[in-house]
Amino acid sequence: MDLDCLPYGAGHAQEGVCLLVRMGPHRILLDCGVEDIAPLSATLNRSLPADFVVCTHAHSDHARGLLALHQSFPHLPIYASEVTARLLPLNWPELAQQPESRFCQGLPWQSPLEVRPGLSVQLFPSGHLPGAATVLLTYAAPHRTYTVVYTGDFFLSNSRLVEGLPLGELRGMKPDVLILEGSYGTARHPHRRQLENQLADRIHRALADGYSVLLPAPALGLGQEMLMLLRSHHYFTGRDLDIWVDGTVADGCDAYLELLHQFPTAVQNFALHQPLFWDERVKPRVRRLSPEQRPGLGATPCIVITDQIADLPLYVADGTNPWILLAPQKPGYPVSNWLPNRPESGGIRSVETYLLAEHCDGPGTTQLIHNLRPQHVILLHGSPAYLADLANLDELRNRYQLHTPAAGTLVELPIGEMFLQPAIPETNYEGELSELGTEVAISLPSPITADPRWANFADTGLVEARWQGEELVLRGISQRELLFQGSAVQANLECCGNCQHYRSQRCWNQSSALFGFKVTPDGFCPVFKAIPESELFLDGETDGE
């Protein structure tokens, strides 16, 4: 039987996700996040580019091409979860209230629907965003049944407004093909609540220093999550503070309120006692921003959440208090690649990034793969370097047939046949170590600098070394961290800055009451342990040493 996958968009950089899956005589289009739909019909020898479309969720990189697709092929069925069907029009704000923007048919959770003879579609919640779905395609061929699982964007952990993917309902499914994202590669992240506390702490310190904070965000998901964080975190509850929301982020808030009955019970209970978003009575005040109010922003410290594609200097007036722009990280890519209107002057003093995970990290991704136990794994939606890291993991290469295709590359998926794992670019680098009396030099080959991550690693030319079992791990020190360390304490003081458990501005001593918390270098606790001489910083050079 024919079983293959053709990515029209593989989710690299700013490229959207759009996949054509062929199962026997059926053609299924999974998501349509490409801006140009011409390739979908360029070599079309049929009346429609697919038998039907399934959209996993309403983020633009998975959905922005759907309207053009519907206009070109009005008889092409388009399915999604009921919540996603309601949120999709926000991708076209100018048509959001028009009937032509409501072309998607909503499907209930976990109820198989036979959309073609022998072919059924079933949706499972996948976390990440309200309405986001994992798609199970089941085709009953004459001699056996074939299954394909496509996760879209997924998240195993609960967030403020969305429960995580219910792994127990998918465990042991053993699909023939699993198509999933690898946004964060093999990186391991702290728990989401810890990341939320780090972001809240940074905003709190900026406000305390007299700064206003500008937070660009997509229309759906991150902006609403930050609003819930700011309304419920102890740094801000009861604080005399204005939080302004503008653009499609505000429209997304309104759309969420119309779907409140679809949200987790905890969110519905919160809304019984106070408004979920808009509230001018309870501090901090959350308000929709009007154009007339923009010139007065920043007279007193405030927070503005707006579109990530907005003209950001519009919110920053010269002569007001200084501003800090906090932009979400896009793993594997510098912020300048996707923040098109990054201000270079005016009242914004600095542009910083933060991580508030919306996708699974490396351990979460491999956990899902091992629980489903597929034969083929197609990794998409991430930096090619990050996807290569995942595909190079021995625990995956030894068990599954792995594919990391680029857009336009057809992936054939033979079932039950011998498979030779394709060669994947080598990501290990052999070097030399020299002991030079008072210091140690580590030399690495120059090809390592071709990796896009090298620029961040070698930003200052300084690295930190620490033992992890029998391995020595090197970490680049950023300019911001270097400036923070500039207020160094005296070397002979028994304080956090001189403790062997003090890393990345946090305490990592499990015996300390401060474990996991951000601490100042001049802090102290009774379980202080001095840094051994063998674990001092190594001074590295950006030319490979």
Side-chain angles (χ1 to χ4, degrees):
M1 191 199 78
D2 292 328
L3 183 61
D4 55 44
C5 176
L6 174 62
Y8 290 111
H12 300 161
Q14 294 180 321
E15 173 185 280
V17 178
C18 183
L19 313 170
L20 181 66
V21 171
R22 181 171 59 166
M23 300 181 74
H26 304 297
R27 308 291 187 275
I28 307 101
L29 197 65
L30 298 174
D31 286 332
C32 189
V34 293
E35 295 188 24
D36 181 12
I37 66 165
L40 278 69
S41 55
T43 58
L44 187 64
N45 55 6
R46 312 164 79 234
S47 58
L48 296 174
D51 297 329
F52 60 92
V53 184
V54 183
C55 179
T56 57
H57 64 288
H59 274 156
S60 62
D61 58 339
H62 290 255
R64 60 186 161 211
L66 286 175
L67 179 60
L69 187 67
H70 170 68
Q71 292 171 338
S72 299
F73 306 98
H75 300 294
L76 178 64
I78 300 175
Y79 303 105
S81 71
E82 294 172 345
V83 173
T84 296
R86 297 278 298 276
L87 295 177
L88 277 176
L90 290 175
N91 284 283
W92 312 282
E94 68 283 358
L95 299 175
Q97 303 303 321
Q98 303 299 320
E100 57 262 36
S101 69
R102 303 190 179 276
F103 49 78
C104 182
Q105 178 180 339
L107 301 181
W109 294 119
Q110 302 174 13
S111 297
L113 174 67
E114 187 173 8
V115 292
R116 288 292 182 274
L119 179 64
S120 65
V121 176
Q122 188 173 1
L123 303 183
F124 296 86
S126 62
H128 178 68
L129 184 74
T134 290
V135 182
L136 169 61
L137 300 171
T138 304
Y139 174 56
H143 302 293
R144 76 183 294 263
T145 297
Y146 296 85
T147 54
V148 173
V149 172
Y150 171 48
T151 65
D153 291 350
F154 73 99
F155 197 27
L156 294 178
S157 300
N158 293 338
S159 52
R160 295 268 172 177
L161 294 167
V162 191
E163 293 178 344
L165 182 149
L167 187 57
E169 298 178 12
L170 302 178
R171 183 174 290 116
M173 189 175 285
K174 297 182 180 179
D176 296 303
V177 181
L178 172 61
I179 307 172
L180 80 166
E181 58 147 330
S183 297
Y184 294 155
T186 57
R188 181 186 296 270
H189 294 147
H191 191 275
R192 182 184 169 90
R193 189 55 54 90
Q194 186 175 344
L195 295 174
E196 288 181 347
N197 288 334
Q198 292 176 7
L199 174 59
D201 178 72
R202 183 66 190 98
I203 296 174
H204 165 70
R205 288 188 287 111
L207 295 171
D209 292 339
Y211 286 80
S212 292
V213 181
L214 186 58
L215 297 166
L220 296 170
L222 188 58
Q224 291 78 23
E225 289 281 334
M226 286 192 294
L227 271 179
M228 287 294 293
L229 170 63
L230 295 171
R231 284 177 60 75
S232 57
H233 198 278
H234 66 87
Y235 276 145
F236 308 104
T237 52
R239 189 169 184 168
D240 188 11
L241 173 68
D242 287 317
I243 302 173
W244 301 97
V245 188
D246 197 16
T248 56
V249 178
D251 296 335
C253 292
D254 292 337
Y256 275 28
L257 293 175
E258 295 177 3
L259 298 168
L260 192 57
H261 63 284
Q262 299 270 15
F263 281 67
T265 303
V267 178
Q268 297 185 44
N269 290 339
F270 180 94
L272 291 176
H273 301 284
Q274 58 178 297
L276 196 61
F277 300 122
W278 313 123
D279 195 341
E280 297 192 14
R281 297 179 299 105
V282 177
K283 300 175 182 178
R285 296 171 293 274
V286 180
R287 304 173 179 176
R288 182 190 292 270
L289 182 67
S290 66
E292 296 77 18
Q293 293 168 318
R294 287 178 184 167
L297 291 175
T300 58
C302 65
I303 299 174
V304 176
I305 302 176
T306 187
D307 303 340
Q308 65 184 22
I309 60 172
D311 189 4
L312 299 180
L314 286 176
Y315 302 92
V316 182
D318 291 333
T320 63
N321 290 325
W323 288 74
I324 287 180
L325 188 150
L326 296 179
Q329 294 179 14
K330 187 173 178 63
Y333 302 101
V335 65
S336 57
N337 279 15
W338 65 271
L339 195 62
N341 293 300
R342 173 178 174 176
E344 300 294 343
S345 61
I348 291 187
R349 297 291 177 83
S350 67
V351 176
E352 301 177 14
T353 62
Y354 65 89
L355 176 63
L356 193 59
E358 298 180 283
H359 310 255
C360 277
D361 61 2
T365 302
T366 56
Q367 179 185 4
L368 180 69
I369 296 172
H370 292 326
N371 274 272
L372 266 67
R373 299 170 61 191
Q375 178 176 342
H376 291 273
V377 177
I378 300 178
L379 295 168
L380 301 161
H381 200 312
S383 159
Y386 279 32
L387 298 178
D389 289 346
L390 272 172
N392 268 321
L393 290 175
D394 287 339
E395 62 175 297
L396 298 182
R397 288 177 59 82
N398 295 336
R399 299 184 187 185
Y400 312 105
Q401 299 175 17
L402 303 173
H403 313 268
T404 56
T409 302
L410 179 68
V411 180
E412 297 183 348
L413 303 163
I415 302 301
E417 300 181 9
M418 292 295 294
F419 180 81
L420 296 177
Q421 197 68 257
I424 296 178
E426 182 61 57
T427 57
N428 294 330
Y429 301 90
E430 294 185 358
E432 295 182 354
L433 184 149
S434 303
E435 296 185 26
L436 304 177
T438 59
E439 61 183 23
V440 173
I442 298 176
S443 300
L444 298 172
S446 59
I448 195 174
T449 62
D451 192 292
R453 292 167 288 189
W454 176 257
N456 290 331
F457 178 84
D459 184 28
T460 61
L462 298 175
V463 296
E464 180 189 38
R466 63 182 176 85
W467 289 105
Q468 183 173 295
E470 295 297 317
E471 297 181 345
L472 184 66
V473 178
L474 299 180
R475 182 182 68 86
I477 300 177
S478 66
Q479 294 185 34
R480 181 182 171 193
E481 188 175 355
L482 192 61
L483 289 172
F484 183 86
Q485 293 173 356
S487 57
V489 294
Q490 297 181 21
N492 58 349
L493 288 180
E494 292 188 359
C495 59
C496 294
N498 294 327
C499 179
Q500 63 179 276
H501 297 289
Y502 177 73
R503 295 192 301 274
S504 302
Q505 306 175 32
R506 292 183 178 273
C507 174
W508 298 106
N509 188 347
Q510 297 186 11
S511 301
S512 172
L514 301 175
F515 174 67
F517 289 99
K518 184 169 286 188
V519 295
T520 58
D522 56 353
F524 171 78
C525 76
V527 290
F528 166 83
K529 292 185 179 179
I531 301 176
E533 293 184 2
S534 59
E535 294 186 14
L536 296 176
F537 286 115
L538 298 177
D539 189 354
E541 300 292 340
T542 58
D543 61 359
E545 293 187 353

